[in-house]
Amino acid sequence: MSKVEEFEELRALLFSIAYRILGSVGEAEDAVQETWLRFDGSSAVPTSTKAYLSSVVTRLSIDVLRSARVRRESYVGPWFPEPLLSDPYEDPARAAELADSVSMASLLLLERLSPLERAAFVLREVFGFGFDEVAKSVGRSEAACRQLVVRARRHMREGRPRFEAVRAEREELASRFFDALREGEVAGLQELLAADVTMAGDGGGKAPQLARTIVGAEKVARLLASVFPLLSLVEVSCERREINGQPGAIFRDRDGGVLYALVLEVLDGQIQAVRSVLNPDKLGHVGPVGDVWALDREVREARRSVE
């Protein structure tokens, strides 16, 4: 098998590792490309190509994450991971676990960990690497890696909700949500939302976004019902998609440009969080990006015309 064939066989795994460490599609793709360049330029023949490439992409991702965390300290508004429409790494036996590990809720929990804790947790808990392989990848002893994983497990466990939603229930609830959203039914939306539901948007200072996180079923339902019916008047389409393993939708303008991604967090039979990614820098991998500022002006005009 050639180097190219060996690499391509592992590309999906390498991207999936990098994305879970970085929370960015673009940065993960860059890390995978740099991994290939280093592999292609090396004359050494690794004992295990998988272990070697996983180690390289992990170390690159750790370096990128360290610098990214400094940038995120000055980020405007809430920071959410870049929406991922499909995880290229497939393992049917562990599909549910992999989907959970890439959810926005899990990635936001991972943001609380140090770069080394995050990398060690992803390699060990998500992809099942041995501690010897984790140690080589993060440049620490096996004993130190065990401690990193123990701390990461504790933080992740403390932040996780108690009740998970099964896929069928989650999809049924999401269908009802988008039906009520389209019709602007406040009562219909409110009954689907948890009492302490939160709604927030990531515009990064580059798109219209909520001034603050909205909390509470009634407030969130009224805001959603007041805005979304107007979108049909300005020819915005709602494309239901699974995003980061969770129910969501991509909203596009009349020309097909991507305006934003909306993701629901469904737990214990209710919607616990509504998250929108509007920052155009985070949407380019989904498709050509539309002008969300122009949409904002059109929606304001549409509202005035119906009042």
Side-chain angles (χ1 to χ4, degrees):
M1 186 182 291
S2 69
K3 266 191 170 183
V4 172
E5 290 170 328
E6 283 188 287
F7 185 83
E8 289 303 321
E9 192 172 82
L10 293 164
R11 179 185 287 274
L13 170 65
L14 301 178
F15 173 85
S16 295
I17 290 172
Y19 178 77
R20 284 165 172 80
I21 294 174
L22 294 167
S24 164
V25 172
E27 289 175 346
E29 289 175 341
D30 290 345
V32 171
Q33 181 60 25
E34 180 61 26
T35 299
W36 160 248
L37 294 175
R38 295 194 182 189
F39 181 47
D40 187 45
S42 173
S43 59
V45 179
T47 304
S48 167
T49 302
K50 176 184 175 182
Y52 171 78
L53 293 177
S54 298
S55 178
V56 172
V57 81
T58 297
R59 292 194 182 199
L60 287 169
S61 298
I62 289 172
D63 289 342
V64 172
L65 181 60
R66 284 172 172 152
S67 61
R69 295 186 86 152
V70 174
R71 296 195 304 273
R72 289 172 194 172
E73 288 176 0
S74 58
Y75 194 81
V76 178
W79 180 93
F80 294 155
E82 290 184 11
L84 185 68
L85 300 190
S86 62
D87 186 356
Y89 182 71
E90 296 182 359
D91 182 348
R94 300 181 58 248
E97 296 172 46
L98 289 168
D100 177 67
S101 70
V102 83
S103 70
M104 286 205 172
S106 290
L107 291 172
L108 289 171
L109 285 176
L110 285 170
E111 278 290 301
R112 303 178 185 180
L113 307 180
S114 72
L116 289 181
E117 287 173 342
R118 185 166 181 164
F121 181 86
V122 166
L123 291 177
R124 176 64 183 173
E125 299 297 294
V126 178
F127 295 102
F129 281 70
F131 277 109
D132 57 334
E133 296 171 304
V134 176
K136 291 176 183 176
S137 296
V138 304
R140 295 292 188 274
S141 68
E142 287 188 41
C145 288
R146 290 179 186 276
Q147 289 301 311
L148 288 172
V149 172
V150 166
R151 289 200 298 270
R153 280 179 189 154
R154 183 173 63 250
H155 288 306
M156 294 295 286
R157 187 168 54 246
E158 289 172 352
R160 284 186 186 281
R162 292 177 57 194
F163 304 104
E164 297 286 344
V166 300
R167 186 183 184 89
E169 291 178 353
R170 191 174 64 201
E171 291 305 317
E172 190 273 336
L173 190 64
S175 293
R176 291 168 58 198
F177 172 85
F178 282 105
D179 286 344
L181 188 67
R182 184 176 58 252
E183 300 300 326
E185 298 177 355
V186 175
L189 287 167
Q190 190 169 341
E191 71 176 14
L192 303 175
L193 303 173
D196 57 350
V197 64
T198 60
M199 179 177 173
D202 174 353
K206 299 182 178 182
Q209 65 187 63
L210 296 170
R212 57 184 175 80
T213 298
I214 307 301
V215 180
E218 183 178 357
K219 290 180 180 178
V220 170
R222 289 191 179 282
L223 179 59
L224 290 170
S226 70
V227 174
F228 281 83
L230 298 173
L231 296 182
S232 62
L233 298 179
V234 295
E235 300 178 65
V236 170
S237 61
C238 174
E239 175 188 315
R240 285 284 310 277
R241 295 292 297 268
E242 184 173 87
I243 302 175
N244 288 79
Q246 306 297 312
I250 301 296
F251 288 80
R252 298 179 184 271
D253 62 23
R254 59 176 61 89
D255 298 316
V258 178
L259 297 167
Y260 61 94
L262 184 145
V263 186
L264 305 178
E265 182 180 333
V266 180
L267 296 163
D268 196 23
Q270 292 181 306
I271 296 169
Q272 306 286 338
V274 181
R275 299 188 179 98
S276 298
V277 179
L278 304 98
N279 186 339
D281 294 344
K282 296 185 175 186
L283 298 171
H285 63 283
V286 178
V289 178
D291 187 345
V292 73
W293 289 107
L295 169 68
D296 185 58
R297 291 192 294 272
E298 288 189 69
V299 169
R300 291 175 186 275
E301 291 173 5
R303 175 179 280 129
R304 284 195 291 270
S305 69
V306 299
E307 288 178 347

